[in-house]
């Protein structure tokens, strides 16, 4: 009996030990699984965070690269326009002959007369044509006195020389005087040329807060301004080596916005949804010549909308139909550039003169 009892006790102890061991093993296995799951979750989280950080870094890098590209692009434009600009006397003194220099200084001092050429008068508010006779000779002082006494907008104004600069119109090596004269809130720009010892007033144009008139070193001239937030434009011309002014073309840009419901219409013609149209008009006549149009469609963020010629409801197709339905002559931008080049050559603005400084002009951004 004692032996049997002892055996029973041993069996019980074994069972308890076995149960305890099995329980420990199970707990260990559970802990291991939990640890593995935690590890996997941590690894996945770390991977997601790493991916997010990488994407953020790439976006930041891309934004920085784009910003740097934009900066370089506009800095290059600044370099180009600086090269194109009329030059101060100290930069071109070696090219300025003694006779021209003396005549130009005499003109600025009010002692030498220049022949007024009405064809080159581009004034809008300071209008020499109101007070001077075509083909007659005037000193700078006489011009100013007539404007002060008789001018429609400039009565009582005081005139003051602001800049003395020089250009080489037509790039023939003979320099012309460009003088900018401050008059109230306006600036009068004059181009004077020495022709065989006689001065000619080749060009006159004015600038103010909403319009800028510039004459560049090679004889290119432009006058562009704003008529409102979405309406601006002006005209371009060319002064040749003989001192003759030639009108080149005029152009205007109008922004057409969608209605409150997002519909973009032209008159009563539907074009598209949630988009804007920039409508460009241009003409090669100073007065009432034939006007041509081209247009561009952009999203609200100003990104260009791609054209889809296979879509019968493509907004470009609908826009062209809408404009033509109102009697407008629509061309492509490429056709406009070709027509502009043909007109440039027609007025004697040669490739050689036109491309002055082209090596500094930035390439279009991709």
């Amino acid at each position: 009996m004692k032996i049997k009892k002892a055996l029973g006790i041993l069996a019980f102890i074994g069972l308890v030990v076995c149960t305890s061991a099995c329980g420990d093993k199970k707990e260990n296995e559970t802990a291991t699984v939990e640890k593995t799951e935690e590890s996997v979750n941590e690894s996945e989280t770390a991977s997601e965070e790493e991916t997010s950080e990488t994407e953020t870094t790439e976006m930041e890098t891309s934004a920085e690269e784009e910003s740097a590209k934009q900066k370089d692009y506009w800095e290059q434009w600044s370099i180009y326009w600086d090269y194109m600009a009329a030059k101060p006397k100290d930069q071109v003194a070696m090219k300025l002959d003694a006779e021209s220099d003396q005549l130009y200084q005499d003109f600025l001092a009010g002692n030498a007369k220049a022949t007024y050429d009405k064809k080159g008068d581009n004034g809008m508010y300071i209008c020499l044509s109101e007070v001077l006779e075509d083909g007659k000779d005037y000193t700078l002082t006489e011009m100013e006195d007539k404007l002060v006494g008789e001018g429609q907008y400039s009565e009582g104004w005081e005139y003051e020389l602001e800049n003395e600069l020089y250009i080489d119109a037509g790039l023939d090596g003979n320099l012309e005087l460009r003088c900018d004269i401050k008059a109230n809130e306006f600036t009068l720009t004059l181009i004077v040329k020495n022709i065989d010892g006689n001065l000619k007033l080749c060009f006159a144009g004015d600038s103010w807060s909403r319009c800028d008139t510039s004459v560049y070193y090679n004889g290119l001239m432009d006058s562009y301004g704003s008529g409102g937030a979405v309406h601006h434009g002006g005209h371009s011309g060319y002064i040749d080596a003989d001192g003759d002014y030639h009108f080149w073309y005029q152009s205007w840009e109008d922004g057409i916005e969608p209605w409150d419901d997002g519909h973009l219409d032209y008159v009563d013609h539907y074009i598209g949804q949630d988009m804007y149209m920039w409508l460009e008009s241009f003409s090669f006549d100073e007065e009432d010549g034939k006007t041509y149009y081209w247009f561009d469609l952009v999203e609200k963020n100003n990104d260009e909308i791609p054209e889809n010629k296979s879509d019968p409801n493509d907004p470009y197709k609908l826009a062209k139909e809408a404009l033509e339905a109102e009697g407008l002559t629509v061309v492509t931008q490429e056709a406009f550039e070709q027509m502009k080049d043909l007109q440039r050559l027609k007025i004697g603005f040669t490739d050689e003169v036109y491309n002055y400084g082209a090596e500094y002009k930035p390439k279009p951004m991709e």
Side-chain angles (χ1 to χ4, degrees):
M1 288 292 295
K2 286 183 181 179
I3 294 171
K4 197 182 265 193
K5 188 175 182 180
L7 290 171
I9 291 169
L10 289 171
F12 176 74
I13 291 169
L15 180 61
V16 170
V17 171
C18 180
T19 303
S20 176
C22 289
D24 289 343
K25 185 177 179 183
K26 188 173 182 182
E27 287 175 3
N28 289 338
E29 288 175 350
T30 301
T32 302
V33 169
E34 289 175 351
K35 268 188 177 183
T36 302
E37 289 177 348
E38 286 176 8
S39 245
V40 169
N41 289 337
E42 288 174 0
S43 176
E44 288 177 348
T45 301
S47 177
E48 289 173 359
E49 289 176 353
E50 186 178 340
T51 300
S52 178
E53 288 175 2
T54 301
E55 289 175 350
T56 301
T57 302
E58 288 176 351
M59 288 176 65
E60 289 174 350
T61 302
S62 177
E64 288 172 0
E65 289 176 349
E66 181 61 26
S67 177
K69 191 185 294 184
Q70 289 275 356
K71 182 182 177 184
D72 291 344
Y73 177 76
W74 291 114
E75 283 181 352
Q76 191 58 44
W77 268 116
S78 180
I79 292 169
Y80 169 71
W81 287 119
D82 282 347
Y83 188 81
M84 286 286 292
K87 307 293 190 283
K89 187 175 181 179
D90 60 357
Q91 290 187 19
V92 294
M94 297 295 291
K95 297 181 179 180
L96 185 60
D97 65 272
E99 181 185 67
S100 296
D101 185 22
Q102 186 61 57
L103 284 169
Y104 295 154
Q105 294 309 310
D106 288 344
F107 176 79
L108 292 173
N111 298 322
K113 294 189 175 187
T115 304
Y116 170 65
D117 183 0
K118 186 177 179 180
K119 182 183 176 184
D121 192 344
N122 282 242
M124 295 288 291
Y125 289 96
I126 305 180
C127 301
L128 292 174
S129 59
E130 292 181 348
V131 298
L132 304 185
E133 292 184 46
D134 190 29
K136 293 295 184 67
D137 299 337
Y138 302 89
T139 65
L140 181 57
T141 304
E142 289 171 338
M143 295 179 198
E144 292 171 352
D145 288 345
K146 282 185 168 293
L147 285 168
V148 170
E150 305 171 32
Q152 181 180 354
Y153 298 103
S154 55
E155 184 178 352
W157 288 1
E158 292 185 4
Y159 289 78
E160 181 182 357
L161 180 64
E162 188 173 44
N163 289 312
E164 175 191 343
L165 302 167
Y166 293 86
I167 67 170
D168 183 4
L171 301 181
D172 66 342
N174 298 313
L175 299 187
E176 292 78 28
L177 168 67
R178 167 183 159 170
C179 53
D180 299 325
I181 301 167
K182 192 70 178 173
N184 205 0
E185 72 267 32
F186 296 87
T187 298
L188 174 64
T189 295
L190 304 177
I191 300 296
V192 179
K193 182 178 181 63
N194 172 21
I195 302 176
D196 299 328
N198 298 303
L199 296 181
K200 175 182 178 179
L201 182 58
C202 313
F203 173 86
D206 49 1
S207 302
W208 60 97
S209 60
R210 302 194 70 171
C211 180
D212 182 68
T213 297
S214 297
V215 181
Y216 302 98
Y217 187 75
N218 62 347
L220 170 66
M221 163 271 160
D222 59 41
S223 181
Y224 283 86
S226 172
V230 291
H231 178 71
H232 44 271
H235 66 279
S236 294
Y238 168 60
I239 303 166
D240 65 22
D242 295 324
D244 293 328
Y245 170 77
H246 303 271
F247 177 82
W248 183 5
Y249 70 96
Q250 59 182 332
S251 65
W252 285 91
E253 181 179 63
D254 290 284
I256 300 174
E257 301 177 334
W259 296 99
D260 291 341
D261 60 4
H263 284 199
L264 176 66
D265 298 332
Y266 185 76
V267 188
D268 294 324
H269 307 280
Y270 175 74
I271 294 172
Q273 186 73 21
D274 296 326
M275 61 182 65
Y276 295 77
M277 178 165 71
W278 288 106
L279 181 61
E280 310 274 350
S281 62
F282 64 96
S283 172
F284 300 111
D285 295 290
E286 290 187 75
E287 303 300 332
D288 299 324
K290 185 173 180 61
T291 301
Y292 302 87
Y293 297 83
W294 64 272
F295 64 91
D296 199 13
L297 298 174
V298 297
E299 297 175 347
K300 288 183 178 180
N301 61 3
N302 214 36
D303 285 345
E304 189 171 350
I305 294 174
E307 184 176 6
N308 183 2
K309 293 183 178 180
S310 62
D311 181 3
N313 294 315
D314 176 60
Y316 282 92
K317 177 178 179 293
L318 297 181
K320 186 173 185 293
E321 290 174 350
L323 296 171
E324 289 178 339
E326 296 302 318
L328 277 58
T329 302
V330 182
V331 300
T332 63
Q333 184 178 359
E334 292 76 14
F336 161 63
E337 295 296 339
Q338 291 172 0
M339 294 168 74
K340 191 171 72 170
D341 271 348
L342 287 173
Q343 183 66 15
R344 173 175 62 78
L345 295 173
K346 185 178 177 181
I347 64 173
F349 196 3
T350 65
D351 290 342
E352 180 185 359
V353 179
Y354 174 70
N355 289 319
Y356 171 79
E359 64 272 25
Y360 297 103
K361 187 183 288 188
K363 295 179 179 178
M365 292 188 66
E366 296 180 356

